[in-house]
Amino acid sequence: MKTLPENQIHLELIELTKKLIRIPSTSSRRDDIHQCADFISQWLKANNIDFDRHSINDVPSISVLPQPGNAPLLVMSHFDVVEVKNTELFEPWIENGCLFGRGSIDDKYAVALSLILFREHLNVIKSGGGNQQDMQFGLLLSGDEETGGANGVGALIDSISTDFCIAIDGGGPELIVDKEKGILQLKITATGKASHGARPWLGENAFDNLVQDYRELQTIFFEQAKDEPSDHWYKTMVLSNLTVGNGSINVVPDRAEALLDIRYTEHDDPDAILASIERSIKSKVEILAKEPVFATGPSSNIDLLVRNFDNAIVGFEHGASDARYLSQRGIPGVIVGAEGNTSQHTENEHIVLSSLYQLYDRLDTFFHEFDKEVK
């Protein structure tokens, strides 16, 4: 078997990514997430690639491994996307050298790239008389990264023995990511006393109490930021959602809730952050999510990757991804990706096509070099 010419590979990358984008696989569209998994399964069958289909709590994932439960190198990506109001984003288009559409940079392109890379390397092995068991890397494609990944990578990573992981879900042409912040998401609830809006002196406004608590929290987070380095590698807090009262305009609210999105670094203790918050405010504090930092140590595989990425720098990103499940289990790995001009989750989401081709070529070369080192 022969590999496809480079320009034909580029065309197939675009077309396969487009087909994936057209499937609106958001968490609220369960049938469409399964449809996306169906599409990937059919593609794998058509290309004579063995795979396993998984479904955990109605979340589909697909593993494509050299041998059952084992891949010396594991490549991860996800086919679920964030919610969108403008459904036109599910009809991709190309403009100014970029492919636009929901999932174009997060993370449908990575699924397409992973599938084609696997097929092309498998074809080379088959042309030499080998089979899929001779592959040195495998794939894990998940359907719930945007909602936390617990039923995808979080549930499946323990069943796969691997020495190194690459998550294609961040970074860029010049950046290989070896650290991402941890997540602490909280709901704080302030209470008061309801009364008629015409007689506020008879009540106690829960929102006023919440505001006082929020100002206390600002001293914990925002004051510290003044003395921190400009790269923003320190803990942060965002009040992302607020609910006050019962919807009536003429009632002093007796309840106010706020959702807090806190990100922290490897230098922070999430339990200490939580304890500090609980000491500082009167509102009730409820933990909605508590996820670890992703951080990996030195690795010869990272060194090999850097050499094949034109000596790209190794650094951090502020977001979070399924890579955090690697740190929980002591699996070394990194995050790489194409250029999207930080358009993830926006109406302007896109991928720069030249960087997609570049990423394919770099990973293609890296996998060949990895094969040589393993053998």
Short mmCIF file of all heavy atoms in Angstrom, two decimals, residues 179-184 221 224 228-229 231-237 262-273 291-295 316-319:
data_model
loop_
_atom_site.label_atom_id
_atom_site.label_comp_id
_atom_site.label_asym_id
_atom_site.label_seq_id
_atom_site.Cartn_x
_atom_site.Cartn_y
_atom_site.Cartn_z
N LYS A 179 2.11 22.15 30.97
CA LYS A 179 1.39 22.50 32.20
C LYS A 179 0.08 23.21 31.85
O LYS A 179 0.05 24.03 30.93
CB LYS A 179 2.23 23.43 33.09
CG LYS A 179 3.38 22.79 33.80
CD LYS A 179 3.94 23.67 34.90
CE LYS A 179 4.44 25.03 34.39
NZ LYS A 179 5.08 25.81 35.47
N GLU A 180 -0.96 22.88 32.59
CA GLU A 180 -2.22 23.62 32.54
C GLU A 180 -2.75 23.76 33.97
O GLU A 180 -2.51 22.91 34.82
CB GLU A 180 -3.27 22.88 31.70
CG GLU A 180 -3.02 22.91 30.21
CD GLU A 180 -4.14 22.25 29.44
OE1 GLU A 180 -4.66 21.21 29.89
OE2 GLU A 180 -4.50 22.77 28.37
N LYS A 181 -3.49 24.82 34.22
CA LYS A 181 -3.98 25.08 35.57
C LYS A 181 -5.05 24.08 36.00
O LYS A 181 -5.76 23.51 35.17
CB LYS A 181 -4.54 26.50 35.66
CG LYS A 181 -3.50 27.60 35.58
CD LYS A 181 -4.12 28.97 35.70
CE LYS A 181 -3.05 30.06 35.66
NZ LYS A 181 -3.64 31.42 35.75
N GLY A 182 -5.14 23.90 37.31
CA GLY A 182 -6.21 23.11 37.88
C GLY A 182 -7.48 23.92 38.01
O GLY A 182 -7.47 25.15 37.86
N ILE A 183 -8.58 23.25 38.30
CA ILE A 183 -9.90 23.89 38.33
C ILE A 183 -10.56 23.67 39.69
O ILE A 183 -10.57 22.56 40.22
CB ILE A 183 -10.82 23.30 37.24
CG1 ILE A 183 -10.21 23.48 35.86
CG2 ILE A 183 -12.20 23.93 37.30
CD1 ILE A 183 -10.98 22.76 34.77
N LEU A 184 -11.11 24.74 40.24
CA LEU A 184 -11.96 24.67 41.42
C LEU A 184 -13.20 25.51 41.13
O LEU A 184 -13.11 26.74 41.01
CB LEU A 184 -11.21 25.22 42.65
CG LEU A 184 -11.93 25.14 44.00
CD1 LEU A 184 -12.24 23.70 44.37
CD2 LEU A 184 -11.10 25.81 45.09
N PHE A 221 -7.85 37.06 45.77
CA PHE A 221 -7.37 36.80 44.42
C PHE A 221 -6.80 38.03 43.73
O PHE A 221 -5.67 38.03 43.28
CB PHE A 221 -8.51 36.22 43.57
CG PHE A 221 -8.89 34.82 43.95
CD1 PHE A 221 -9.84 34.60 44.94
CD2 PHE A 221 -8.29 33.74 43.35
CE1 PHE A 221 -10.19 33.31 45.30
CE2 PHE A 221 -8.63 32.44 43.70
CZ PHE A 221 -9.59 32.23 44.69
N GLN A 224 -3.60 39.88 45.16
CA GLN A 224 -2.38 39.12 44.94
C GLN A 224 -1.85 39.32 43.53
O GLN A 224 -0.65 39.39 43.29
CB GLN A 224 -2.66 37.63 45.16
CG GLN A 224 -1.52 36.72 44.71
CD GLN A 224 -2.01 35.31 44.38
OE1 GLN A 224 -2.73 34.71 45.15
NE2 GLN A 224 -1.59 34.79 43.24
N GLU A 228 2.10 39.79 40.96
CA GLU A 228 2.48 38.57 40.26
C GLU A 228 3.08 38.90 38.89
O GLU A 228 2.89 39.99 38.35
CB GLU A 228 1.27 37.65 40.09
CG GLU A 228 0.75 37.10 41.40
CD GLU A 228 1.71 36.11 42.04
OE1 GLU A 228 2.63 35.65 41.35
OE2 GLU A 228 1.54 35.82 43.24
N PRO A 229 3.80 37.96 38.29
CA PRO A 229 4.41 38.20 36.97
C PRO A 229 3.36 38.41 35.89
O PRO A 229 2.21 37.99 36.02
CB PRO A 229 5.22 36.92 36.72
CG PRO A 229 4.62 35.89 37.61
CD PRO A 229 4.14 36.63 38.82
N ASP A 231 2.92 37.07 33.13
CA ASP A 231 2.44 35.92 32.37
C ASP A 231 1.17 35.31 32.97
O ASP A 231 0.62 34.35 32.44
CB ASP A 231 3.53 34.85 32.25
CG ASP A 231 4.00 34.31 33.60
OD1 ASP A 231 3.34 34.56 34.64
OD2 ASP A 231 5.04 33.63 33.63
N HIS A 232 0.72 35.86 34.10
CA HIS A 232 -0.55 35.46 34.74
C HIS A 232 -0.55 34.02 35.23
O HIS A 232 -1.61 33.43 35.41
CB HIS A 232 -1.73 35.67 33.78
CG HIS A 232 -1.83 37.06 33.25
ND1 HIS A 232 -2.19 38.14 34.03
CD2 HIS A 232 -1.60 37.55 32.01
CE1 HIS A 232 -2.19 39.25 33.30
NE2 HIS A 232 -1.83 38.91 32.07
N TRP A 233 0.64 33.48 35.50
CA TRP A 233 0.68 32.12 36.04
C TRP A 233 0.50 32.18 37.56
O TRP A 233 1.41 32.01 38.35
CB TRP A 233 1.99 31.42 35.67
CG TRP A 233 1.95 29.94 35.95
CD1 TRP A 233 2.65 29.27 36.92
CD2 TRP A 233 1.16 28.95 35.28
NE1 TRP A 233 2.34 27.94 36.89
CE2 TRP A 233 1.42 27.71 35.89
CE3 TRP A 233 0.24 29.00 34.23
CZ2 TRP A 233 0.82 26.52 35.48
CZ3 TRP A 233 -0.36 27.82 33.82
CH2 TRP A 233 -0.07 26.60 34.44
N TYR A 234 -0.72 32.47 37.97
CA TYR A 234 -1.11 32.51 39.37
C TYR A 234 -2.59 32.20 39.45
O TYR A 234 -3.29 32.13 38.43
CB TYR A 234 -0.81 33.89 39.98
CG TYR A 234 -1.31 35.06 39.17
CD1 TYR A 234 -2.66 35.46 39.21
CD2 TYR A 234 -0.45 35.77 38.34
CE1 TYR A 234 -3.11 36.53 38.46
CE2 TYR A 234 -0.90 36.84 37.59
CZ TYR A 234 -2.23 37.22 37.66
OH TYR A 234 -2.68 38.27 36.91
N LYS A 235 -3.09 31.98 40.65
CA LYS A 235 -4.50 31.60 40.79
C LYS A 235 -5.41 32.78 40.43
O LYS A 235 -5.09 33.94 40.70
CB LYS A 235 -4.79 31.10 42.19
CG LYS A 235 -4.68 32.12 43.32
CD LYS A 235 -5.06 31.45 44.65
CE LYS A 235 -5.06 32.43 45.81
NZ LYS A 235 -3.71 32.86 46.21
N THR A 236 -6.54 32.46 39.79
CA THR A 236 -7.49 33.48 39.36
C THR A 236 -8.91 33.05 39.73
O THR A 236 -9.18 31.87 39.98
CB THR A 236 -7.43 33.70 37.84
OG1 THR A 236 -7.77 32.47 37.17
CG2 THR A 236 -6.05 34.17 37.40
N MET A 237 -9.81 34.03 39.76
CA MET A 237 -11.21 33.76 40.06
C MET A 237 -12.10 34.60 39.15
O MET A 237 -11.85 35.79 38.93
CB MET A 237 -11.52 34.11 41.52
CG MET A 237 -13.00 33.91 41.90
SD MET A 237 -13.42 34.62 43.51
CE MET A 237 -13.36 36.38 43.13
N ILE A 262 -12.51 29.11 39.49
CA ILE A 262 -11.19 29.38 40.04
C ILE A 262 -10.17 28.49 39.34
O ILE A 262 -10.39 27.28 39.18
CB ILE A 262 -11.16 29.12 41.56
CG1 ILE A 262 -12.10 30.11 42.27
CG2 ILE A 262 -9.74 29.22 42.11
CD1 ILE A 262 -12.38 29.76 43.72
N ARG A 263 -9.08 29.07 38.89
CA ARG A 263 -7.98 28.31 38.28
C ARG A 263 -6.74 28.50 39.15
O ARG A 263 -6.46 29.62 39.62
CB ARG A 263 -7.71 28.80 36.85
CG ARG A 263 -8.95 28.79 35.95
CD ARG A 263 -9.54 27.40 35.79
NE ARG A 263 -10.81 27.42 35.07
CZ ARG A 263 -10.98 26.93 33.84
NH1 ARG A 263 -9.95 26.43 33.19
NH2 ARG A 263 -12.18 26.95 33.29
N TYR A 264 -5.99 27.42 39.35
CA TYR A 264 -4.83 27.49 40.23
C TYR A 264 -3.64 26.76 39.61
O TYR A 264 -3.80 25.94 38.70
CB TYR A 264 -5.17 26.93 41.61
CG TYR A 264 -5.52 25.46 41.62
CD1 TYR A 264 -4.54 24.49 41.86
CD2 TYR A 264 -6.82 25.01 41.40
CE1 TYR A 264 -4.84 23.14 41.86
CE2 TYR A 264 -7.13 23.66 41.41
CZ TYR A 264 -6.14 22.73 41.64
OH TYR A 264 -6.44 21.38 41.64
N THR A 265 -2.45 27.05 40.10
CA THR A 265 -1.22 26.49 39.55
C THR A 265 -0.67 25.39 40.46
O THR A 265 -1.23 25.11 41.53
CB THR A 265 -0.14 27.58 39.38
OG1 THR A 265 0.42 27.90 40.67
CG2 THR A 265 -0.73 28.84 38.77
N GLU A 266 0.44 24.82 40.04
CA GLU A 266 1.07 23.78 40.85
C GLU A 266 1.64 24.33 42.16
O GLU A 266 2.00 23.56 43.06
CB GLU A 266 2.18 23.08 40.05
CG GLU A 266 3.47 23.85 39.88
CD GLU A 266 3.43 24.85 38.72
OE1 GLU A 266 2.32 25.23 38.28
OE2 GLU A 266 4.51 25.26 38.26
N HIS A 267 1.70 25.65 42.28
CA HIS A 267 2.20 26.27 43.50
C HIS A 267 1.09 26.49 44.53
O HIS A 267 1.37 26.95 45.64
CB HIS A 267 2.86 27.62 43.17
CG HIS A 267 3.95 27.52 42.14
ND1 HIS A 267 5.06 26.72 42.30
CD2 HIS A 267 4.08 28.12 40.92
CE1 HIS A 267 5.83 26.83 41.23
NE2 HIS A 267 5.26 27.67 40.38
N ASP A 268 -0.14 26.19 44.16
CA ASP A 268 -1.29 26.41 45.04
C ASP A 268 -1.85 25.09 45.54
O ASP A 268 -1.79 24.07 44.85
CB ASP A 268 -2.40 27.17 44.30
CG ASP A 268 -1.94 28.50 43.74
OD1 ASP A 268 -1.41 29.30 44.53
OD2 ASP A 268 -2.10 28.73 42.53
N ASP A 269 -2.42 25.14 46.73
CA ASP A 269 -3.12 23.99 47.30
C ASP A 269 -4.62 24.27 47.23
O ASP A 269 -5.11 25.19 47.89
CB ASP A 269 -2.69 23.80 48.76
CG ASP A 269 -3.38 22.61 49.42
OD1 ASP A 269 -4.34 22.05 48.84
OD2 ASP A 269 -2.96 22.24 50.54
N PRO A 270 -5.37 23.51 46.41
CA PRO A 270 -6.81 23.81 46.26
C PRO A 270 -7.56 23.70 47.59
O PRO A 270 -8.53 24.45 47.81
CB PRO A 270 -7.28 22.77 45.25
CG PRO A 270 -6.26 21.69 45.28
CD PRO A 270 -4.97 22.35 45.59
N ASP A 271 -7.14 22.78 48.46
CA ASP A 271 -7.81 22.66 49.76
C ASP A 271 -7.55 23.90 50.61
O ASP A 271 -8.44 24.35 51.36
CB ASP A 271 -7.32 21.41 50.49
CG ASP A 271 -7.77 20.13 49.79
OD1 ASP A 271 -8.88 20.12 49.22
OD2 ASP A 271 -7.01 19.14 49.82
N ALA A 272 -6.35 24.45 50.50
CA ALA A 272 -6.04 25.68 51.25
C ALA A 272 -6.83 26.86 50.69
O ALA A 272 -7.29 27.72 51.45
CB ALA A 272 -4.54 25.96 51.19
N ILE A 273 -6.98 26.92 49.36
CA ILE A 273 -7.79 27.98 48.75
C ILE A 273 -9.23 27.89 49.25
O ILE A 273 -9.84 28.89 49.65
CB ILE A 273 -7.77 27.86 47.21
CG1 ILE A 273 -6.37 28.14 46.68
CG2 ILE A 273 -8.78 28.83 46.59
CD1 ILE A 273 -6.22 27.90 45.18
N GLU A 291 -10.56 19.83 40.04
CA GLU A 291 -9.73 19.09 39.11
C GLU A 291 -8.27 19.48 39.29
O GLU A 291 -7.96 20.65 39.56
CB GLU A 291 -10.17 19.36 37.67
CG GLU A 291 -11.62 19.02 37.38
CD GLU A 291 -11.88 17.52 37.37
OE1 GLU A 291 -10.91 16.74 37.42
OE2 GLU A 291 -13.06 17.12 37.31
N PRO A 292 -7.35 18.53 39.13
CA PRO A 292 -5.95 18.80 39.39
C PRO A 292 -5.27 19.59 38.27
O PRO A 292 -5.77 19.70 37.15
CB PRO A 292 -5.35 17.40 39.49
CG PRO A 292 -6.19 16.58 38.57
CD PRO A 292 -7.59 17.13 38.73
N VAL A 293 -4.11 20.09 38.59
CA VAL A 293 -3.21 20.70 37.61
C VAL A 293 -2.69 19.60 36.68
O VAL A 293 -2.47 18.47 37.11
CB VAL A 293 -2.04 21.40 38.32
CG1 VAL A 293 -0.98 21.85 37.33
CG2 VAL A 293 -2.54 22.57 39.15
N PHE A 294 -2.52 19.93 35.40
CA PHE A 294 -1.76 19.06 34.51
C PHE A 294 -0.32 19.54 34.50
O PHE A 294 -0.05 20.70 34.18
CB PHE A 294 -2.32 19.09 33.08
CG PHE A 294 -1.36 18.55 32.05
CD1 PHE A 294 -0.91 17.24 32.13
CD2 PHE A 294 -0.88 19.36 31.03
CE1 PHE A 294 0.00 16.74 31.19
CE2 PHE A 294 0.01 18.88 30.09
CZ PHE A 294 0.45 17.57 30.17
N ALA A 295 0.58 18.67 34.87
CA ALA A 295 2.01 19.01 34.84
C ALA A 295 2.79 17.73 34.59
O ALA A 295 2.49 16.69 35.18
CB ALA A 295 2.43 19.66 36.15
N PHE A 316 3.38 26.70 29.25
CA PHE A 316 2.08 26.43 29.86
C PHE A 316 0.95 27.13 29.12
O PHE A 316 1.16 28.04 28.32
CB PHE A 316 2.08 26.88 31.33
CG PHE A 316 2.34 28.36 31.52
CD1 PHE A 316 1.33 29.30 31.30
CD2 PHE A 316 3.58 28.82 31.91
CE1 PHE A 316 1.57 30.65 31.48
CE2 PHE A 316 3.83 30.18 32.08
CZ PHE A 316 2.81 31.09 31.86
N GLU A 317 -0.27 26.67 29.42
CA GLU A 317 -1.49 27.36 29.00
C GLU A 317 -2.40 27.49 30.21
O GLU A 317 -2.31 26.71 31.16
CB GLU A 317 -2.20 26.61 27.88
CG GLU A 317 -1.60 26.84 26.52
CD GLU A 317 -2.50 26.39 25.38
OE1 GLU A 317 -3.30 25.47 25.58
OE2 GLU A 317 -2.38 26.97 24.29
N HIS A 318 -3.31 28.46 30.17
CA HIS A 318 -4.14 28.75 31.33
C HIS A 318 -5.40 27.91 31.39
O HIS A 318 -6.04 27.83 32.44
CB HIS A 318 -4.52 30.24 31.33
CG HIS A 318 -3.35 31.15 31.47
ND1 HIS A 318 -2.74 31.39 32.68
CD2 HIS A 318 -2.64 31.85 30.56
CE1 HIS A 318 -1.73 32.22 32.51
NE2 HIS A 318 -1.64 32.51 31.23
N GLY A 319 -5.78 27.29 30.28
CA GLY A 319 -7.01 26.51 30.26
C GLY A 319 -6.82 25.14 30.89
O GLY A 319 -5.86 24.88 31.62
#
